[in-house]
Amino acid sequence: MPRLPRLAKRLGLSLGSLVVAVAATELVVRATEPGPYSLFDRNPYVDSEVDDHVRHRPDFVGRWDGTWYVTDRRGFRGPEREPTFAEDELRVACVGDSCTFGKGVLEEACWPRQLEARLREGGRNAVVFNLGINGGRGKVYRALLDEHADELKPNVIALGYNINDFPNTIKAVDERVYKDRSLRRLIPEGLRNAFGRLALYRKLRQVYYDARKERDWAAAEATARETADEPIDSAVWEKERGYLEAIGAHAERHGARVVVFLFPYESQVFLESYDATPIERLRELCGSLGMPFVDLATEFRAAARSTEPPTQLFLAGDRYHPNALGYGIVADRVLAAIERE
């Protein structure tokens, strides 16, 4: 019998040591994430009944999923910005999802803020509003402008879609290659979301992704070939046309220009061949509506392949979101589109 208490004591000490080690590692990993130090994540979202999506909490400060959030009274990212409506003021409303909000980078590195800096460096009296909302889509973009366009009276609306917003082979790649993994299926979504609040889990997820990157790209290329001839859901594109027409109506009412682009997916940048269907379909749609379309995939591919090894333009362990350098390319291309008009 004396052996059992001793064994229980040893197990208790081992478990306690493990908990302490994990907690210490969590604190260390948190210190490496961008932004001020934080002990825990805070949910930055509030539900919106307008489009059954979320909005960012107004005047929110805190960390969520590795990103440091600071929002103004409207829930836009960054400190308060008020338009003056001066005759020479250029007001730009940037609309999009987490790639516009700037997931994973500090506020000054997201493309709307880099765009504002470039405009001001060029002598423009510019104010740029970041309406990016994580998980956004066409319906949400229209609703955001319904809520804020009359207040901001933008001169330019810069709209950034994501590649997984449309039916295409890249979406099939995302579902079959990345979301259908056996390890991912073993962890229920609710538990994954809970783990997502831990910096240590985010780091392990990043390491796991990077370790599989080459295999995933090969699988992505094979899946893209298999699904390239699958029929396209035209109804989705017709619905998107309706959203873009509504956004165009906002622009027309305020005498604004609309610039549309599509964020590239990591495999589109680094694989030798990629599916360009969503790019061409969106370009065609924008052309029919008289809206300029910016091809970012070509720019990202050129920048990545300008060095050996290729320049990294996406966040580590992330196939969607550009890093600060990638966001700089977006800012440059949107700036060029604005200056062409």
Side-chain angles (χ1 to χ4, degrees):
M1 289 297 296
R3 294 181 59 186
L4 290 178
R6 287 199 301 271
L7 180 59
K9 183 177 180 180
R10 289 175 182 171
L11 288 174
L13 288 173
S14 298
L15 181 60
S17 299
L18 179 62
V19 170
V20 170
V22 170
T25 305
E26 169 72 12
L27 295 178
V28 170
V29 174
R30 279 187 171 271
T32 67
E33 294 186 323
Y37 191 79
S38 61
L39 289 174
F40 52 86
D41 282 22
R42 297 178 57 216
N43 191 329
Y45 302 123
V46 291
D47 292 329
S48 172
E49 297 179 357
V50 176
D51 51 20
D52 298 321
H53 197 63
V54 295
R55 297 290 185 271
H56 293 126
R57 297 179 187 274
D59 300 313
F60 178 86
V61 178
R63 184 179 305 283
W64 182 256
D65 197 18
T67 303
W68 182 254
Y69 284 65
V70 176
T71 65
D72 66 8
R73 65 178 179 83
R74 303 180 184 90
F76 298 169
R77 189 174 191 184
E80 210 72 49
R81 281 173 168 76
E82 294 297 337
T84 65
F85 304 110
E87 187 174 349
D88 67 338
E89 184 178 64
L90 177 65
R91 296 175 297 280
V92 183
C94 300
V95 186
D97 62 3
S98 54
C99 288
T100 292
F101 179 81
K103 181 182 183 297
V105 301
L106 294 176
E107 195 256 341
E108 59 265 26
C110 66
W111 73 263
R113 204 54 55 226
Q114 292 199 52
L115 173 63
E116 183 178 70
R118 284 159 169 73
L119 285 165
R120 291 180 177 178
E121 288 167 3
R124 302 293 293 271
N125 176 19
V127 56
V128 178
F129 300 96
N130 186 345
L131 280 67
I133 181 77
N134 293 339
R137 55 193 185 278
K139 181 180 180 180
V140 177
Y141 307 153
R142 182 194 64 186
L144 283 166
L145 289 170
D146 288 345
E147 295 168 27
H148 298 292
D150 289 343
E151 175 189 10
L152 303 178
K153 296 179 175 57
N155 308 112
V156 177
I157 297 173
L159 172 57
Y161 281 102
N162 204 303
I163 199 73
N164 61 357
D165 289 339
F166 308 109
N168 57 83
T169 59
I170 298 299
K171 187 173 183 178
V173 167
D174 186 54
E175 292 172 350
R176 299 184 193 182
V177 176
Y178 299 106
K179 293 183 178 178
D180 198 32
R181 288 174 170 162
S182 56
L183 180 60
R184 182 186 177 92
R185 292 199 306 268
L186 289 174
I187 306 176
E189 183 177 359
L191 188 56
R192 288 202 308 270
N193 292 338
F195 282 155
R197 294 186 177 220
L198 300 175
L200 180 57
Y201 174 80
R202 295 193 286 263
K203 184 65 175 179
L204 291 174
R205 183 177 60 191
Q206 171 191 319
V207 171
Y208 175 71
Y209 171 79
D210 284 343
R212 292 184 54 91
K213 183 177 292 188
E214 298 298 329
R215 282 174 290 177
D216 285 342
W217 284 354
E221 191 169 19
T223 301
R225 286 195 299 268
E226 292 171 7
T227 58
D229 295 328
E230 291 183 0
I232 296 173
D233 186 355
S234 298
V236 173
W237 288 97
E238 284 305 311
K239 184 181 293 186
E240 210 59 50
R241 171 183 285 275
Y243 296 144
L244 276 174
E245 287 175 341
I247 290 171
H250 279 298
E252 184 176 357
R253 187 168 64 255
H254 295 291
R257 294 163 283 159
V258 180
V259 176
V260 181
F261 60 91
L262 188 63
F263 285 99
Y265 199 88
E266 187 183 45
S267 61
Q268 283 189 314
V269 174
F270 294 103
L271 290 178
E272 287 302 318
S273 60
Y274 66 95
D275 174 47
T277 303
I279 298 173
E280 297 309 319
R281 288 295 297 268
L282 186 56
R283 188 198 307 275
E284 179 183 339
L285 177 56
C286 289
S288 70
L289 296 173
M291 296 178 177
F293 176 77
V294 176
D295 183 359
L296 286 182
T298 299
E299 296 295 324
F300 269 67
R301 285 173 68 86
R305 294 156 185 266
S306 64
T307 62
E308 186 58 46
T311 302
Q312 182 55 251
L313 300 175
F314 293 84
L315 297 175
D318 191 315
R319 58 194 177 276
Y320 288 112
H321 302 92
N323 57 22
L325 187 58
Y327 283 132
I329 295 174
V330 179
D332 286 337
R333 296 294 290 132
V334 174
L335 175 63
I338 292 174
E339 291 183 335
R340 275 200 303 270
E341 298 294 319

